Amino acid sequence: MAIKRKRKKKSKIYFGKDTENAIIEYNKTEDERERNKIYNEGISYAFDKLAENILNTFKFSYFQCSHIEVQQEVVSNLVSNIHKYKPDNGKAFSYFSIIAKNFLILYNNGNYRKFKKHVSVDDDESPNVDMELSISSTSVTRKKELSEFFRLMIEFWD
């Protein structure tokens, strides 16, 4: 009969009172070296994990970059707002969770609007209607060249 080994249970609390105290200490300190030390030892992991958990929980889908890059953007936003946290307003976890979620909502909605504006080239409602060509180039010769190119392409495909 095999003997079962028991593992120590890992604490699932990644953003506890220690992290909250580190944030308060970070905000009190003016020395950059001390702030970096406090951030690296007491805050960094908690912010990374918080960003990861919020991304996985709410399943935001309109991002133009990878999941890791979005997570880094969230952490960057949390660090830039760390000075706004006041212990009298509630727990740090709740405060930074809301900050992260609001940031992701705004970021996701902005990207959604960009995706919605996309118009397919092959959307052709009536083939006999002349289409107006809009070019942002300032060069008149460039506009003429592109206009001629599009005319020839249309002629070729017709």
Side-chain angles (χ1 to χ4, degrees), residues 20-74:
E20 187 168 334
N21 291 337
I23 291 170
I24 293 167
E25 189 64 33
Y26 179 92
N27 285 335
K28 287 180 183 176
T29 306
E30 296 293 324
D31 182 37
E32 288 299 318
R33 287 186 183 183
E34 185 67 22
R35 277 185 157 196
N36 286 335
K37 182 181 175 192
I38 293 169
Y39 178 78
N40 290 328
E41 292 175 1
I43 302 171
S44 177
Y45 176 76
F47 275 6
D48 287 338
K49 196 69 175 166
L50 177 69
E52 179 184 353
N53 288 345
I54 288 180
L55 272 169
N56 291 333
T57 301
F58 294 100
K59 305 289 185 204
F60 295 102
S61 57
Y62 293 101
F63 296 127
Q64 297 174 339
C65 49
S66 72
H67 185 80
I68 293 170
E69 290 173 327
V70 174
Q71 183 178 335
Q72 290 170 346
E73 287 287 327
V74 172

Side-chain angles (χ1 to χ4, degrees), residues 11 22 37 43 53-54 74 81 83 85 113 118 127 137 149 153 156-157:
S11 174
K37 182 181 175 192
I43 302 171
N53 288 345
I54 288 180
V74 172
N81 286 309
H83 70 279
Y85 172 70
R113 280 189 217 101
H118 179 268
S137 176
F149 171 77
M153 281 297 287
F156 171 79
W157 287 107

